[in-house]
Amino acid sequence: MKKSSFLVLALAVASFTSCKHVEEPDNADFAWYLNSDYSANLLDLSKANECPYTIELSDQICFVAKSADANSYVVWAGDPGHTFDGRNLADSLLKDTVNNASFRSAGTALSATDGKGRKYKTYKYSAISPVGEPFQVYCTARNYDYKKGEYAEKVYGPKSIVVVDSKVDLWNDADPYNSAGPSTYDITIIYKNGSKQATITNKSTGKNGSYELVYEKEGVTPGVKITMPKGIPTSAVTKINIKAGNCILFTEEGLVPVNAKKVYGWTPDFSSSTKATVYLKSQSAAEDAKPGDPYTKGYEFTVVEYAE
């Protein structure tokens, strides 16, 4: 009888053990830091600025899990295509998951491990957050039983982050020749000299033509003053090539054409008078930016003929 009771108890324990679910992670808490700040304070993150509320579109940040007990951590950054609410397909789309997979938002797995054993991943936003509507960031922590195909998940969030793009300058006013500024300074003026094509660059001087940057200050619109070579009228300008790093360019007619190297080919219409002025605007490089969005800046391009 005792043996029978013992057998029943053993079977009950075995049955309970085999049905036991995967343990839920302790937490899914996470943080983000500017990548430069994270790298500089890797050994003591208490010295870093945790979860800055506002960042620039051009900033590279680092998502970091605050625990290390889960099998995996995934961050949902909150920008288009990476929302926590959109991680699962709607019921109406489930029957055709292959063709509808593109409707499902993607998370960012914290796949790297730092020297302190923390899971992390760098990230760069491609869109600015709508005014008054911060992106909502979540993190999920999961433990798996790969043999049974089971998992237990814990969710942390949302945390809010505002992504702006105020760095829409064509050059850094403090140091226009500094390529580490808001964008790389590079302008080439193309003009017709008879039947030939010629150029004016920052190395052109005097009778060969030249240009200078007009810095932004009170009452002055930033821009470029172009002096044509001796004997060449202002109407000879056919194109201005501008390399812009963190912004895109447009005029009243629309966006300026750009090539794969981020060089914009602008064809302004200068008059044949001794002085001609046209206007160009730079704007946010966010994927969803449109001409006229809040993050824009205007530039005045003036062409004058050479005078002794």
Side-chain angles (χ1 to χ4, degrees), residues 27 46 58 63 143 171 194 222 229 260 288:
N27 70 74
S46 65
S58 58
F63 288 118
N143 281 333
W171 58 78
D288 55 347

Side-chain angles (χ1 to χ4, degrees), residues 132-202:
E133 299 179 26
F135 291 138
Q136 302 302 305
V137 192
Y138 290 81
C139 183
T140 60
R142 279 187 177 185
N143 281 333
Y144 297 90
D145 185 325
Y146 294 100
K147 290 183 178 180
K148 295 182 179 179
E150 297 177 355
Y151 70 87
E153 179 181 85
K154 180 164 282 189
V155 178
Y156 191 94
K159 290 184 177 182
S160 297
I161 186 171
V162 174
V163 181
V164 301
D165 187 14
S166 61
K167 297 181 179 180
V168 295
D169 306 87
L170 287 181
W171 58 78
N172 183 347
D173 276 352
D175 183 2
Y177 300 98
N178 180 7
S179 61
S183 67
T184 302
Y185 161 71
D186 188 4
I187 299 174
T188 301
I189 293 91
I190 301 172
Y191 66 94
K192 281 187 177 180
N193 185 358
S195 60
K196 297 181 180 180
Q197 179 176 285
T199 61
I200 301 173
T201 68
N202 64 313

Side-chain angles (χ1 to χ4, degrees), residues 60-77:
Q60 186 175 59
I61 63 173
C62 190
F63 288 118
V64 184
K66 289 191 174 182
S67 62
D69 65 298
N71 294 145
S72 70
Y73 296 88
V74 177
V75 167
W76 308 85

Side-chain angles (χ1 to χ4, degrees), residues 24 37 60 90 99 106 115 155 206 210 226 273 298:
E24 190 177 83
D37 199 16
Q60 186 175 59
N99 291 323
V155 178
S210 62
I226 303 166
S273 63

Side-chain angles (χ1 to χ4, degrees), residues 235-277:
S235 58
V237 175
T238 58
K239 194 174 185 180
I240 299 178
N241 288 335
I242 304 173
K243 186 173 184 180
N246 293 327
C247 57
I248 58 179
L249 308 180
F250 70 100
T251 65
E252 291 182 355
E253 287 73 36
L255 294 175
V256 176
V258 61
N259 64 22
K261 295 182 178 180
K262 288 287 285 183
V263 176
Y264 289 84
W266 180 31
T267 54
D269 181 19
F270 288 106
S271 70
S272 58
S273 63
T274 56
K275 182 177 180 180
T277 301

